[in-house]
Each structure stands twice: as structure tokens, then as C-alpha cells.
Amino acid sequence: MNILLDDVPYNDQLYPFAATRSMVHIRVGILTILEKWQFVFPGKISLSSEQFTDTADAEVIKIPANIIPSFIYLQRLKENIDNAKNPEDCRTLLYPWQIFECNDWAIREDFKLITENRNSNKISDDNHTICPENIFVEPGAQINYSIINANDGPVYIGKNAEILEGCLIRGPFVLGEGSRLKMGTKIYGATTLGPHCLGGGEIKNSVMMGYSNKAHDGYLGDSVIGEWCNLGAGTSNSNLKNTAGIVKVWDKSKNAFAEAGPKCGLLMGDYSRSAINTSFNTGSVVGVCCNIFGNSFPSKYIEDFSWGNETYLFEKAIRDISNWKKLKGKEITQTEIDSLKILYELKHK
């Protein structure tokens, strides 16, 4: 059995996070949507947006890519293909703010999927843990003189991740492979720091996709941060209006503001950065490859390739991305450059 994830109709709805990737590469919980499927069906997953060749020796089922599969659904589908018709206990991703809204549920589902029939590495006695049976530590992870409370949800610490002294953590929480929490970080669930992220200050109910930094004091709440982003020291966001009213967020697919609910913080696309002491209003949307600075509150919607109030020149943007990637031992790829070039040209049509 092969599975075809139909991602074409949904990418525009999930701006800015599907502007530079198929939506199946969005991280919610521990894993990306694609990784959840690949965990159970390795080598059998294809995307509508990519070239796909049907094979005569295997049945192909087509599933909407905006379905976030539950643990039960994946297990039942593995047992019987007919169970694909009933996506039991799954979630459907229609808007970008639903990434953090679904994160509590998704962490719990992924935790069951990844840790089933496995044993956690031991946590040093230097730390204080509550409900240690809900804490799973992968090989190579280091945790030093911190408090981890998994009473309200599971805590997953990835391979070679590091939690420095004095961190206060409440689950559900995910620290991805190679990521680090700096000293004294305060984490409230449900929060995910994807692979090779750096966390500091206060973070609550937020998702950082991967390779991004919020290394210093400041508040990040009810927010989603893409890959290769950096929040300067003191950067904070509002996640609740002073009136406690409904937060409206820019919906690029409809070219209008949409109601996101009572709480929504910052939605920041890939390769974007904020200067020190930047303050984001409730429900702010930052596009891809933006450099945000200035003496006033940034606009609630910042277009792709913005440099302050000007345009981020393409060659300069690529140079700066390359510099940031080198800090984590990576190089910008030609595929990335080509993808960003398309976005840049669309903006300047």
C-alpha cells in the first residue's frame, strides 16, 4: 500500500509556513506531518505536489495532507486500508494559528507513537522531576539542575539536546534533537522547539519549526516561528487583546483579516529576524525573509522580503541567510535559493 498526501489545495491557506515548503513539512507536536506518516509507513509516502508514479503492484490511497494523523488512526490504517475512510481522532489544519492550537494534542499523540515499547534514558538526580513516567529522554541529551513537571502532559527531550541549569519546564513540551535551553528558561506547555533551536526567556504554547533562536529574555506565547528565524534580545509578543476580544489575523489567501480566536501571538515565516526589544502586536504575521527593526510597533502584517520599511534586496537576503546558516554548520542550498527567488519575483510582479 502506498499513500498519496494531497497537499496542493492547502498550501496557500497556511501562509507563511507553507510559502517555502509543502504543508506536510510543518511541525506540530514532536514531528512534522510528513514524519508522522513516514514513521508508520516508511518508503510509502508521496506528495501530490511532487512527481508521483502509480505502481501496479501496490494499492494507492489518497489522503488530504491537512489531516494531522492521530496515533490510533495510523495504527488502524496499518492494520486495514479501509480504515482510511474514517480519520478517527485526527485534527484538520486549515489556518496557521491552528498549529499552536493543536500542539497540546499533537505532542501527546506523537509521544505515544515515538516512545511505544521503548525505554527512556535516565535523568540525573541533580534534577527535580514530577511524573517522571511521562518524561522521555533520548540518547546524548543532557539535563542539569532543572525542574521538569510532566503532570499536565508529556515531556520529550531529543537526541543530543541540552537543558542548562535552572530551567523550569511544564509539559507538554518538546525539545528537538540538538536543541538547547539556556539557563533559567521558563517553559509552559504546550511548547515545541524543533531540531537545533535555542530557547531562552519565557515561552508558552508555541512552536518553533527548527533551526531558530529565541535565546534571550522576552515573552513568546501562542505563536509559531518558522525555520532559520532569530528573535533579538528582549523581543516579546502580545497574545491577548486588552479588551479580551477576538484576535484578527491577516489571511493572505483571502487578502483580508480573519478571526483567530481569543488568543494569537506571532506567526513568523522562515528566514525572518527581529531586532532587540521588538514588540509584536497581538496576531502579527511576518512573511518570509524579513528583517524587522525600527522605533515603533511593527505592522500586524509584514510582507515577504521586508527590510524595515524597505525591500530586502534578493542578493543581500541570500547572503544574510547564508551567514546565519553557517552559524549552525549548514549551507544554503540551490533548492532554497530557487524557492526564495520565486517568492521574490511574485512580490515584484
Side-chain angles (χ1 to χ4, degrees), residues 135 141 174 211 213 245 279 281 287 314:
I135 303 171
V174 175
Y211 296 94
N213 303 325
S279 296
N281 276 304
F314 185 75

Side-chain angles (χ1 to χ4, degrees), residues 284-302:
S284 292
V285 176
V286 175
V288 174
C289 204
C290 298
N291 197 336
I292 301 154
F293 56 89
N295 296 323
S296 59
F297 279 97
S299 170
K300 282 195 63 172
Y301 171 50
I302 300 175

Side-chain angles (χ1 to χ4, degrees), residues 210-225:
Y211 296 94
S212 290
N213 303 325
K214 184 210 170 296
H216 305 288
D217 286 342
Y219 176 70
L220 183 71
D222 298 288
S223 297
V224 184
I225 307 297

